[in-house]
């Protein structure tokens, strides 16, 4: 489980263990992985950088399934979207095949497109193609934006609604989103890992499609907050995100702004959560449990 200490990865680890699978979490900071699972007899955590081929090979030895949930949300130095999401993902897929794994699961995202002008969205699309070369028959999982305790999405909306008298929208707020519960997505990935899947490409979205505007209003309603929405042109958000990449802890990156310019909705022609027997949770249930 590469990226087993992350927002999604931690939940995948938990659900894999619930399925009775032996789980090895691999990341650069293994101590952050699975604090709750640390003493679980089926769990171990190893230090491995996906940018280091020998560490990848050691981490996947004997694995029957390899899951890649490593993220890179902003580039720095030589660590580019292409290096992590294309080259390293392809090397991990190749290492999984060489190690004799039966399954390789790549976590990508809805909207991934190898022809996009956005370097992030393009790298995610090229990564999907590259892992299928490294591990023919790889499973690609594209979640929508995910919600859950300590998420970056609903938490930010909630915080801004609480502190700002008026809420700044991305553009006119017309972008369509289908937030998925991170727990539902993790359970779906655990089901694919434990039972396999005929499909090679999944898109996981929640039960409702919202415009960004309606989503903010719905969160405000659930929290009992009155707000006024203010459209803000994307050119402003791009400038803010570009500046923000030099400010540690800034919760906005250019790739997030680029993703907010295109609809983030699961393709109904592709299998999703319900095809794996999961009834998706809506944001009200997520907000109540967070
Ligand atoms: N969050 C969402 O709403 C969302 C939506 C759609 C798709 N996704 C996709 O889901 C995947 C997981 O996202 P996330 O939000 O869970 O990310 P995250 O919270 O940032 O976690 C990323 C994980 O990757 C590990 N990692 C980062 N760089 C690494 C490296 N060089 N070598 C080894 N491990 C490394 C991190 O651990 P260390 O720092 O310890 O190495 C961490 O465990 C990503 O592919 C993301 O694009 C996320």
């Amino acid at each position: 489980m590469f990226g087993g200490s992350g927002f999604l990865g931690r939940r995948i680890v938990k659900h894999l263990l619930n399925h009775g699978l032996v789980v090895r979490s691999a990341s650069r900071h293994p101590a952050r992985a699975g604090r709750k699972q640390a003493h679980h007899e089926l769990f171990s955590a190893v230090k491995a950088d996906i940018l280091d081929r020998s560490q990848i090979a050691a981490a996947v030895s004997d694995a029957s399934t390899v899951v890649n949930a490593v993220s890179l949300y902003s580039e720095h130095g030589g660590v580019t979207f292409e290096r992590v999401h294309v080259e390293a993902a392809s090397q991990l897929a190749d290492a999984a095949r060489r190690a004799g794994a039966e399954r390789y699961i790549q976590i990508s995202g809805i909207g991934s497109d190898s022809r996009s002008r956005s370097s992030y969205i393009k790298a995610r699309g090229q990564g999907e193609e590259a892992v299928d070369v490294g591990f023919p028959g790889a499973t690609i999982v594209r979640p929508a934006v995910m919600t859950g305790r300590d998420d970056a999405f609903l938490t930010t909306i909630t915080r801004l609604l609480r502190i700002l008298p008026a809420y700044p929208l991305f553009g006119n707020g017309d972008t369509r989103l289908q937030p998925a519960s991170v727990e539902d997505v993790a359970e779906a990935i655990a089901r694919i890992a434990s039972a396999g899947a005929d499909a090679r490409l999944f898109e996981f979205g929640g039960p409702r499609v919202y415009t960004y505007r309606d989503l903010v209003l719905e969160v405000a309603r659930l929290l009992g907050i009155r707000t006024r929405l203010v459209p803000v042109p994307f050119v402003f958000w791009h400038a803010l995100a570009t500046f923000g990449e030099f400010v540690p802890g800034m919760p906005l990156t250019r790739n997030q702004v680029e993703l907010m310019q295109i609809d983030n909705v699961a393709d109904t022609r592709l299998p999703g959560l319900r095809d794996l027997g999961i009834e998706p949770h809506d944001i009200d249930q997520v907000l109540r449990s967070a």
Side-chain angles (χ1 to χ4, degrees), residues 3 5-8 28-29 48-50 69-71 73 108 124 146:
S5 59
F7 168 65
L8 173 61
R28 294 164 304 175
H29 310 96
D49 189 332
I50 199 170
V70 167
S71 74
Y73 291 123
S108 184
R124 298 316 313 256
M146 286 180 283

Side-chain angles (χ1 to χ4, degrees), residues 16-86:
L16 289 170
L17 291 171
N18 289 345
H19 279 258
L21 298 178
V22 177
V23 183
R24 185 187 301 149
S25 169
S27 64
R28 294 164 304 175
H29 310 96
R32 291 182 194 160
R35 283 195 189 98
K36 286 189 187 152
Q37 283 89 24
H39 302 295
H40 197 295
E41 58 185 1
L42 300 180
F43 177 77
S44 62
V46 297
K47 183 175 164 61
D49 189 332
I50 199 170
L51 303 178
D52 183 314
R53 287 190 95 142
S54 62
Q55 291 182 23
I56 289 179
V60 302
S61 66
D62 303 333
S64 56
T65 298
V66 174
V67 183
N68 179 10
V70 167
S71 74
L72 181 72
Y73 291 123
S74 53
E75 299 179 309
H76 47 90
V79 185
T80 60
F81 295 138
E82 189 179 350
R83 178 73 189 91
V84 172
H85 290 310
V86 187

